[in-house]
Amino acid sequence: MSKVKRLTNVWTYINDMQKFTIKELSEEFNLSAKTIQRYLKELNKMGLPIQAEQGRNGGYRVLNNSYIPPIIFTEKEVMTILFALKSLQGYKDKSMEPEVNSIMRKVSYERKSNIKIGIENIKRYIDFITNDGDFKSSDVTEFFKASSESLILNIKYKRGNQILEKSICPIGIYSNKGTWFSPVYDYKSDKIILIRINKIIEIKKVGKSKGVHISLKEWLDTVYNNLYGTMSATKKIGETIYLNVLLTKEGVSKIKDSFYDLDIESNEDGSGIINTLIKIEEVDWYVSILFLIGSNAKVIEPKFMNKLLYDKANELRYFYEENMV
């Protein structure tokens, strides 16, 4: 076994133990006391905070066992990490900024290689713009921990001009268009409801849930199936569907005045028809365009797209209700 592998094994072991003695490590790894002491000095230089404890039962302990052993990444993996971290920097909330910058420095240290060029290109040519409103990463973190540990929370949150209180157990978190949401089990109504995390005013932990609630994936699958109907069971990514939309004269004009390049069949009276095949993954893009056209566009096929437009209108209504004075 190589020295690097032995050092990694020792790091992992003492990181889990947190408190240990030279004798324990010697017996565990079948190494001499001098070798173990040398390894501990090297690990300390590598960044693992190890402190000697005085006294009859003295030994060593790791000051912070949240450090993980060194991990070797491929160039593609490093680029993926950099890309993901770049997306985090798009959020207005800066509470994660020190950690993100620290990781960026660690994975993009100075060296002469092709990956260095790739890293600089990500920094220079890629950016993410989010509409995150009053997003607070601390609240998102609290909901994530509560979800993973099945914790019961008492929360106060804003709904319109009201401040409401609820006893809940989050089942997960997800982000949609820069806004963080959490499906939670509401103990009062005895059902799963959806909470906008940016509306949270106060969070208090009150205990651990004994019941087993639906998982986030199961909840999302249920919502997706209800939203898309039988289409979700029959269509896969890459498959095509038939799109048929009737446009008024004003609708045709709006599309032509925009930068959207849509294939429209024009009628003599100025109205038009969109009659084409689109990929299933393009549905949301077309919904966004048709939503902007409003009542000047009538979707004939697929029927489920009308449901998506209806829900989008409800989201806008909810937004204005939440911000009414």
Side-chain angles (χ1 to χ4, degrees), residues 44 60 94 137 182 240 265 315:
N44 198 22
Y60 295 86
K94 299 300 180 184
S137 62
S182 176
T240 57
E265 299 176 15
E315 284 182 16

Side-chain angles (χ1 to χ4, degrees), residues 3 14 26 34 42 47 70 76 78 82 84 119 132 192-194 200 202 213 233-234 236 246 269 289 300 302 319:
K3 180 181 178 181
I14 64 178
S26 296
K34 288 185 177 181
E42 292 185 34
K76 287 185 177 180
V78 171
L82 263 294
I119 290 170
D132 54 0
I192 302 293
I193 64 173
L194 191 62
I200 301 295
E202 182 180 292
H213 306 300
T234 58
K236 298 179 181 180
L246 302 182
D269 61 356
I289 296 173
I300 306 301
F319 172 79

Side-chain angles (χ1 to χ4, degrees), residues 11 38-50:
W11 183 317
R38 189 172 66 252
Y39 279 10
L40 293 181
K41 289 181 181 179
E42 292 185 34
L43 291 175
N44 198 22
K45 289 180 180 179
M46 292 168 62
L48 187 64
I50 302 172

